[in-house]
Amino acid sequence: MENKAWAAEKLADDPQYFDRLAHLQTPEFLWIGCSDSRVPANEITGTQPGEIFVHRNVANLVINTDVNLLSVLDYAVNHLKVKHVIVCGHYGCGGIKAAITKTDFKAVLNMWLRNIKDVYRLHREELDEIRDEEILCDRLVELNVQEQIFNLAKTSIIQRAWKNEQRPDLHGWVYGLKDGLIKPVYEMNAGTHIDELYEYDNL
Ligand SMILES: [Zn+2]
């Protein structure tokens, strides 16, 4: 591993580097991204340790029974007081590709990928028209990100922060593996109304 060389190089550049980071974490961003090894949050956004709080899972899903994700969200919103939550998918996502096959990936992966199949079903009319498989997958990547933004907005964690502190804004992005560029596909500012069925009025 390159850890020792990296630590020495950081210290040479900035003798206070680790002292500062060890005592302070004040990121303004929560990143919910794909576990894919090619999509590291800090690297592709040109940010440093300390700047982004990160959660990653297969196909960047926001599932309302996922205690891991909800704990990260709660901590980021209520304790770190992040101003922005980013859901970042990526074109060529293996999770998305797997979800539109009829392959049985066995119990656990089937459960996870089912959530993406649900996104497809919500947008079946548009997606069924697309003949090219790569274009189809890429469009589903975008729609999946949009759906995860809705899923964030449906949580009482986000709604309470919106009501009391007018933050965080929600950003849906897609990263291009082929060009390294991030494309914003869906934005939701703090306080945006969603389907009233999901809005809590006694927060
Ligand atoms: Zn992926």
Side-chain angles (χ1 to χ4, degrees), residues 34 36 59 90 93-95:
C34 185
D36 192 301
H90 65 101
C93 182

Side-chain angles (χ1 to χ4, degrees), residues 34-36 38-39 57-60 89-90 92-96:
C34 185
S35 298
D36 192 301
R38 299 164 294 180
V39 196
N57 62 39
V58 172
N60 41 269
H90 65 101
C93 182
I96 299 286

